[in-house]
Structure formats: C-alpha cells, structure tokens
C-alpha cells in the first residue's frame, strides 16, 4: 500500500494529463512495484512500458531525498523530473496507450546525474572523445547539454541556463571539474542555416558551439515530426512551418541532415 501511495504522490506532483487518469489507476491497482525497486537494479531494457511508468514514479521518492541531502531546492527537482511526463507523452502517443520506455535516459535523472536549469538540461559526464585542438582528453569531465522539447531557444534563455549551470555544479558537485559544455545534436547541424532565418533561435544556439564533428543522421525527423518518423513518410507529415517545409524540401532533394558535436568553454 505504501508503494502505491508513493507512486500516486508523484503522478499528481508532476502533473500528468487528466486524460491518463483512468489507465494510470488501473495500472496502480493491477501492477505491483516491489518496495526495494531502485534504478540500479531495474532492467533498463524492459519493454514492460506500463510497469516502467509506475517504477520511475516510485523511484522519484529516493531522488527527492538525495536533493534534500544536497540542499537542492524543490523547484529544480520538479522541473528536472517533469521529463518523465514529457517522455510519457511521446511514448503514449506512439504506442496508443499510457506507457513509458525511455529508461536509459531517465536513469540519469534518477541517479542524480542530470539537472534541468532553466531552458536546458545538464548531465555530468566524462567525454568519450579526444579533441586535441581544445585540449580535451578522452574521459575528461564535461557537462552534457540537452535540449528538452519546450518553447524557444532564445539566446538570452540559453545564456541564463549556462550561467546557472556554472554556479550550480561547482556548488553542489565540486568534484566534477568540467572545463567544457558538450552537445551532440541535430540542433547544431549547419544545414539548418540554409532552411531557417538568420535570427532563428535554433541557428543562434548552434553558433554558440565550437563544432568539431558531424555525421549523417535523421534524428531531426523524430524530434520534429514525432517518434518513428522516417524519410519515406515525409508526405504524410504536417509541414506548415519554415522548419518543417525546409526539412521536406531537403528530403525531396535527397540531401542529408546531421548530428553535430560541439563545445562551449565553461568560463566564457
């Protein structure tokens, strides 16, 4: 019973859509989550998407205790954990029933490795790549920059988030001695400069990074048109913005999009 109360507490606290209530309470009555469930012992490859949702909500209680011990305020806790709601919406829309399947990603939040500070999310990580021109060695600590799907990427919002991160991590995690922010994303793809206007928040965001590598990749489709989107279905997607129209035009011409990796020096 206590387990169910914890799960319900976080369902309400994170503000899920009321249209999910029927399915949620059905799951709560029929799916058991053991009280010793922790992210360290949970199968991150689990395809039991209903159980996944209840499990991550149950594990939020442990995260709250960690934040309290660190002295991190509840506003950051809730803003960070609302990513569970965001990805529940994505998986539910894709599968047609209330569910959650983003276990690897959400494990960062549940282990206290990722925090949402304003517009951006930041993950404490060690870089996988050496970048000689920047003096970055493999396994050097970095702050990974992630961009949740919400609102604009106005430059002032981005700068506020970066400045906040530069105050937050040295205060609460001084052992993570990063020198660079690192981002690998379709948002850094210079191809977008040929599609979007010069004052676009997306292109201004990309221009903040020192870009060191790109690889052909269609991840842009999943983020713009939805999970499971592919080139061959482009005619079935709604294309009524400058970005979506440009993507469709480029695909029709057989051109590539990219995942681009870039860095921002932390003290700048």
């Amino acid at each position: 019973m206590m387990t169910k109360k914890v799960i319900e507490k976080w369902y309400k606290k994170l503000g899920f859509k009321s249209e999910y209530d029927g399915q949620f309470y059905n799951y709560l009555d029929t799916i058991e989550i053991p009280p010793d469930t922790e992210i360290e012992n949970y199968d991150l490859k689990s395809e039991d998407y209903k159980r996944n949702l209840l499990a991550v909500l149950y594990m939020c209680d442990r995260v709250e205790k960690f934040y309290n011990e660190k002295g991190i305020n509840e506003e950051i806790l809730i803003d960070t954990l609302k990513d569970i709601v965001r990805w529940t919406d994505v998986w539910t829309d894709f599968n047609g029933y209330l569910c959650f399947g983003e276990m690897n990603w959400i494990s960062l939040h549940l282990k206290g490795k990722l925090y949402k500070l304003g517009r951006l999310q930041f993950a404490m990580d060690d870089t996988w790549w050496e970048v000689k021109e920047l003096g970055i060695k493999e396994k050097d600590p970095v702050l990974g920059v992630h961009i949740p799907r919400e609102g604009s990427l106005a430059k002032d919002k981005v700068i506020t988030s970066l400045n906040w991160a530069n105050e937050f991590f040295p205060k609460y995690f001084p052992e993570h001695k990063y020198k660079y922010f690192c981002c690998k994303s379709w948002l850094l793809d210079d191809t977008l400069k040929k599609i979007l206007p010069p004052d676009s928040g997306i292109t201004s965001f990309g221009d903040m990074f020192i870009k060191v590598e790109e690889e052909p990749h269609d991840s842009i489709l999943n983020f713009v048109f939805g999970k499971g989107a592919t080139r061959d279905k482009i005619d079935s997607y709604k294309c009524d913005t400058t970005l979506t129209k440009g993507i469709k035009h480029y695909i029709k011409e057989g051109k590539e999009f990219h995942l681009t990796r870039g860095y921002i020096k932390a003290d700048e």
Side-chain angles (χ1 to χ4, degrees):
M1 183 60 68
M2 183 60 70
T3 303
K4 290 185 178 182
K5 286 183 178 179
V6 170
I7 295 169
E8 183 182 25
K9 163 190 163 182
W10 285 101
Y11 178 78
K12 291 179 177 180
K13 203 165 186 175
L14 296 181
F16 283 80
K17 295 176 181 176
S18 59
E19 66 194 63
Y20 294 156
D21 288 357
Q23 292 181 77
F24 170 75
Y25 282 104
N26 176 262
Y27 298 172
L28 199 59
D29 287 339
T30 58
I31 300 172
E32 181 181 354
I33 302 299
D36 63 348
T37 300
E38 297 181 352
I39 192 61
E40 288 81 6
N41 61 30
Y42 198 85
D43 179 10
L44 300 184
K45 296 180 181 179
S46 170
E47 295 183 359
D48 189 341
Y49 302 138
K50 298 177 182 179
R51 178 179 296 278
N52 287 351
L53 176 59
L54 298 190
V56 297
L57 290 175
Y58 176 68
M59 289 185 270
C60 288
D61 235 36
R62 180 184 168 193
V63 183
E64 182 181 40
K65 291 176 183 176
F66 177 75
Y67 273 61
N68 289 339
E69 290 168 359
K70 283 283 189 180
I72 302 171
N73 69 52
E74 187 179 46
E75 182 181 351
I76 295 174
L77 170 70
I78 298 301
D79 208 19
T80 297
L81 292 181
K82 274 185 176 290
D83 219 18
I84 296 170
V85 179
R86 188 177 294 110
W87 283 104
T88 296
D89 290 342
V90 171
W91 279 81
T92 299
D93 181 63
F94 181 69
N95 288 305
Y97 66 92
L98 180 63
C99 62
F100 184 86
E102 210 70 23
M103 292 304 301
N104 266 303
W105 169 243
I106 214 67
S107 70
L108 297 174
H109 309 54
L110 298 176
K111 291 178 179 178
K113 298 292 185 183
L114 179 144
Y115 297 85
K116 185 169 184 289
L117 304 172
R119 180 63 183 88
L120 305 174
Q121 298 164 320
F122 300 92
M124 291 182 286
D125 203 356
D126 295 336
T127 185
W128 295 359
W129 309 280
E130 180 180 32
V131 186
K132 291 182 178 179
E133 60 267 36
L134 299 180
I136 299 172
K137 300 177 182 177
E138 187 178 348
K139 296 186 178 180
D140 274 357
V142 293
L143 279 184
V145 178
H146 302 275
I147 310 94
R149 310 180 192 198
E150 58 170 47
S152 76
L153 271 173
K155 192 168 185 178
D156 60 333
K157 292 183 179 181
V158 172
I159 291 173
T160 296
S161 282
L162 293 172
N163 289 339
W164 191 352
N166 276 330
E167 295 173 0
F168 177 88
F169 288 96
K171 178 179 179 179
Y172 294 107
F173 302 96
E175 69 280 5
H176 191 72
K177 299 186 182 300
Y178 65 96
K179 294 181 180 179
Y180 281 91
F181 295 97
C182 177
C183 183
K184 186 174 183 179
S185 172
W186 64 271
L187 289 161
L188 274 60
D189 185 359
D190 280 337
T191 302
L192 298 176
K193 292 182 178 181
K194 302 173 184 177
I195 293 176
L196 296 170
D199 61 350
S200 163
I202 291 177
T203 54
S204 69
F205 176 75
D207 284 343
M208 295 179 71
F209 290 82
I210 302 167
K211 299 169 187 177
V212 299
E213 182 186 59
E214 67 176 22
E215 61 181 89
H217 206 285
D218 278 345
S219 63
I220 187 173
L221 302 183
N222 283 269
F223 283 93
V224 174
F225 297 111
K227 185 174 172 60
T230 55
R231 282 179 171 251
D232 60 312
K233 297 177 183 176
I234 190 64
D235 286 329
S236 67
Y237 304 138
K238 186 177 181 180
C239 296
D240 58 353
T241 65
T242 302
L243 178 60
T244 53
K245 289 176 182 177
I247 291 172
K248 182 175 182 178
H249 175 72
Y250 260 57
I251 286 176
K252 290 289 188 179
E253 291 194 345
K255 296 181 179 179
E256 294 179 334
F257 291 98
H258 308 87
L259 274 178
T260 301
R261 177 162 50 93
Y263 295 85
I264 296 175
K265 204 167 188 334
D267 58 1
E268 291 182 350

